[in-house]
Amino acid sequence: MKTNNMYYFPVFFLFLLFIFPFQDEEKYSKMRKNMVEHQLKTRDITDPKVLDAMSKVKRHLFVDDKLKNAAHNDHPLPIGEEQTISQPYIVALMTQLLDVKPDEKILEIGTGSGYQAAVLSELADSVFTIEIIEKLAKMAEKRLKNLGYHNVKVKYGDGYYGWKEHAPYDAIIITAAADNISPILVEQLKEGGRILLPLGGTNYWQTLTIAAKKDGKLTNIRRLSDVIFVPMTGEILKKK
Ligand code: SAH
């Protein structure tokens, strides 16, 4: 029987269309694996749960399409509105320092792309995250919902005031630089809970700092490595 070759072309084309997304996924999965091997394991990221979360969360889906191929590079990237998604290593380091347990409730200040929140949500019971730029808050909320991160809730607002409704939190992470800590956030932290932030002058570098709450106050303040973050804006700038 004579077969008409003309039928082959559309079938082949449809097949390509079908496998293309899978090839794409495989490419980014390899990039994530490389990032974990060469940027995290070779430095001081040793917590298997953190390494696992960093391998799982699809970082390329948290940046603009044009930047997808650069998403796993060893540096921060722009996310619009003059803000950035942190370098993968810094996200992993902060997650490791926070030492999240599966039954914990976390508050993040500075949602940005939603990437740090997604990584935390792999380890925590629930994550509440606040973003002061409405456009970024809406984008992150939509993205996290589409990706199935149902244990993350996003709020548009000034993180200085925290999110009272869901307080107290087991841990608070601030992913924007500030030279002081909002007393309202300390109030919303559980007794024995911890707070982690890039603390210091917002013009140059800051120092990743972690503290614990004891008898209503922050104690056991440990200053760790130097980092560079975009500044926390809003009410905090009026307080010194
Ligand atoms: N965690 C983010 C990156 C943070 S960039 C990520 O994973 O992509 C810092 C973010 O903090 C910016 O989006 C900035 O708009 C936000 N921000 C700055 N001041 C804030 C405030 N007072 N309250 C809430 N968000 C704030």
Side-chain angles (χ1 to χ4, degrees):
M1 193 176 77
K2 200 177 164 224
T3 332
N4 190 344
N5 277 341
M6 276 179 64
Y7 288 124
Y8 282 133
F9 182 70
V11 170
F12 181 62
F13 184 70
L14 281 175
F15 174 71
L16 279 184
L17 268 186
F18 176 74
I19 64 162
F20 185 69
F22 294 103
Q23 283 185 325
D24 225 33
E25 279 302 300
E26 203 177 306
K27 175 175 108 183
Y28 291 114
S29 154
K30 268 191 196 146
M31 285 183 172
R32 284 200 298 283
K33 218 171 164 190
N34 274 335
M35 170 190 89
V36 168
E37 291 300 322
H38 302 296
Q39 299 173 36
L40 309 184
K41 285 190 183 171
T42 50
R43 293 187 176 128
D44 50 354
I45 308 302
T46 52
D47 185 338
K49 293 192 302 302
V50 174
L51 293 167
D52 193 44
M54 295 294 292
S55 314
K56 263 194 202 155
V57 180
K58 297 179 175 170
R59 185 170 163 96
H60 67 285
L61 300 180
F62 289 80
V63 298
D64 195 87
D65 275 354
K66 292 192 289 287
L67 293 173
K68 269 183 171 177
N69 285 330
H72 301 86
N73 292 358
D74 198 13
H75 52 72
L77 285 172
I79 54 169
E81 312 295 310
E82 291 172 32
Q83 305 304 319
T84 55
I85 176 174
S86 300
Q87 173 191 3
Y89 168 67
I90 295 295
V91 174
L93 179 65
M94 289 182 85
T95 308
Q96 181 168 271
L97 288 168
L98 213 58
D99 192 19
V100 176
K101 313 283 183 312
D103 60 342
E104 287 188 333
K105 192 180 357 170
I106 313 294
L107 176 68
E108 180 196 27
I109 311 300
T111 316
S113 66
Y115 178 69
Q116 172 78 75
V119 171
L120 288 168
S121 83
E122 296 281 348
L123 306 170
D125 173 69
S126 48
V127 178
F128 295 89
T129 178
I130 308 176
E131 170 56 52
I132 203 166
I133 299 177
E134 188 172 15
K135 193 174 160 199
L136 292 180
K138 293 280 165 288
M139 269 170 64
E141 186 174 36
K142 196 170 155 201
R143 174 181 286 140
L144 289 160
K145 193 172 161 234
N146 289 343
L147 293 175
Y149 287 103
H150 301 304
N151 59 341
V152 184
K153 296 282 171 283
V154 182
K155 168 170 146 163
Y156 157 56
D158 188 340
Y160 183 88
Y161 301 104
W163 197 336
K164 200 171 174 202
E165 237 177 300
H166 304 285
Y169 301 95
D170 296 285
I172 298 180
I173 175 173
I174 306 179
T175 59
D179 60 7
N180 63 96
I181 300 175
S182 158
I184 302 170
L185 291 182
V186 180
E187 251 170 53
Q188 294 182 11
L189 187 60
K190 248 183 213 169
E191 185 63 22
R194 59 262 181 228
I195 185 163
L196 171 67
L197 77 156
L199 185 66
T202 50
N203 291 333
Y204 304 105
W205 67 89
Q206 307 85 35
T207 309
L208 267 189
T209 304
I210 191 160
K213 180 170 167 181
K214 192 162 180 267
D215 302 327
K217 288 199 189 78
L218 291 184
T219 58
N220 192 17
I221 298 169
R222 288 185 294 139
R223 296 173 71 79
L224 308 151
S225 44
D226 286 342
V227 285
I228 299 175
F229 271 80
V230 293
M232 186 167 170
T233 57
E235 186 64 24
I236 195 94
L237 297 178
K238 300 182 196 153
K239 319 278 171 179
K240 287 286 162 193

